[in-house]
């Protein structure tokens, strides 16, 4: 079933709104995660599990709920193509908002020392976990050096690097949209196609 103009516009509008809401929530999760791991009282478990829950598990649950809600709000049915379109719009809107809000505004303007604070917290957690697992000093030093390289790269990202990362994430988000569309596709019943043969 081809996407008619009214349905197409409805999907775009509702996907954009849900993407905006998702972006705001993900931005809040990023800020909570940042303050959680950079807190002086943060433990290694908090530093490791905090981002996994706030940037991994909860966002996936939220996306699933929003996909169900989006499909319901456009009539309960959409083809694979419609689902890909709607979910991708939602993803790209949320990612853009989260990137501008956190990576550009918060990290580059509000708290310019955010990367350093995150590095200190990550290094502290790495050492703490390594000591608990009886890792050798050489292994600890290697992990610290690896972390240093990762954070040095983040500090030196230039405009081209930001654009390159954005393009990479667009491709990544499209692949995710394909996967979610396959899961949430719900083709209209045959009688609807008979009533609207041109769609």
């Amino acid at each position: 079933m081809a996407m008619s103009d009214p349905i197409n516009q409805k999907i775009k509008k509702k996907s954009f709104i849900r993407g905006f809401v998702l972006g705001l929530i993900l931005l809040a999760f990023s800020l909570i995660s940042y303050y959680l791991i950079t807190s002086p009282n943060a433990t290694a478990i908090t530093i490791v599990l905090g981002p996994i829950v706030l940037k991994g598990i909860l966002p996936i649950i939220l996306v699933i709920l929003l996909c169900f809600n989006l499909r319901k709000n456009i009539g309960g049915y959409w083809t694979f193509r419609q689902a890909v379109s709607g979910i991708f719009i939602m993803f790209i809107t949320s990612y853009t908002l989260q990137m501008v809000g956190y990576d550009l505004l918060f990290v580059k303007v509000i708290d310019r020392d955010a990367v350093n604070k995150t590095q200190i917290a990550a290094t502290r957690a790495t050492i703490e976990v390594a000591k608990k697992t009886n890792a050798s000093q050489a292994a600890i030093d290697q992990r610290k050096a690896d972390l240093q390289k990762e954070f040095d790269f983040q500090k030196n990202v230039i405009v081209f690097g930001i654009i390159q990362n954005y393009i990479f994430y667009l491709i990544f988000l499209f692949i995710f949209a394909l996967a979610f569309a396959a899961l949430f596709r719900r083709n209209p019943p045959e009688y609807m196609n008979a009533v609207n043969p041109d769609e």
Side-chain angles (χ1 to χ4, degrees):
M1 183 174 82
M3 205 184 306
S4 66
D5 285 343
I7 295 175
N8 187 18
Q9 293 305 314
K10 190 174 184 180
I11 289 174
K12 285 181 179 178
K13 181 180 177 182
K14 292 185 177 292
S15 298
F16 178 78
I17 292 169
R18 279 154 186 78
F20 191 80
V21 170
L22 178 61
L24 288 177
I25 295 172
L26 294 182
L27 176 58
F29 284 171
S30 292
L31 292 172
I32 292 168
S33 176
Y34 168 73
Y35 285 113
L36 193 65
I37 66 175
T38 57
S39 166
N41 299 321
T43 64
I45 294 174
T46 304
I47 293 171
V48 172
L49 292 183
I52 291 173
V53 173
L54 291 170
K55 293 185 174 185
I57 297 171
L58 290 180
I60 289 174
I61 293 171
L62 186 59
V63 165
I64 290 170
L65 294 175
L66 286 171
C67 285
F68 275 121
N69 179 264
L70 178 59
R71 187 178 70 187
K72 179 182 176 184
N73 274 267
I74 61 161
Y77 300 100
W78 56 5
T79 63
F80 179 72
R81 183 177 175 185
Q82 291 171 326
V84 170
S85 174
I87 294 170
F88 184 61
I89 289 170
M90 182 172 70
F91 283 174
I92 195 171
T93 303
S94 65
Y95 173 69
T96 301
L97 180 62
Q98 201 270 345
M99 184 196 73
V100 170
Y102 187 81
D103 296 334
L104 298 180
L105 184 60
F106 182 75
V107 173
K108 302 292 185 186
V109 178
I110 297 173
D111 189 349
R112 295 183 179 181
D113 202 34
V115 176
N116 284 331
K117 291 177 183 175
T118 305
Q119 179 181 359
I120 291 168
T123 303
R124 189 177 74 233
T126 298
I127 294 171
E128 188 177 327
V129 169
K131 286 181 177 177
K132 285 182 179 178
T133 57
N134 297 319
S136 67
Q137 187 60 45
I140 295 173
D141 292 340
Q142 182 59 49
R143 184 59 188 137
K144 285 169 65 178
D146 292 341
L147 279 172
Q148 184 66 48
K149 287 179 185 176
E150 290 174 24
F151 283 102
D152 285 343
F153 175 77
Q154 289 182 39
K155 291 174 191 175
N156 296 318
V157 169
I158 55 176
V159 174
F160 177 75
I162 293 172
I163 294 171
Q164 191 177 28
N165 285 343
Y166 189 74
I167 293 170
F168 169 78
Y169 275 106
L170 287 183
I171 296 168
F172 183 73
L173 291 174
F174 184 72
I175 293 170
F176 253 90
L178 289 171
F180 273 91
L183 291 172
F184 292 99
R185 172 181 62 186
R186 190 176 185 189
N187 288 324
E190 287 301 319
Y191 74 85
M192 290 180 69
N193 291 336
V195 171
N196 302 292
D198 296 329
E199 294 188 286

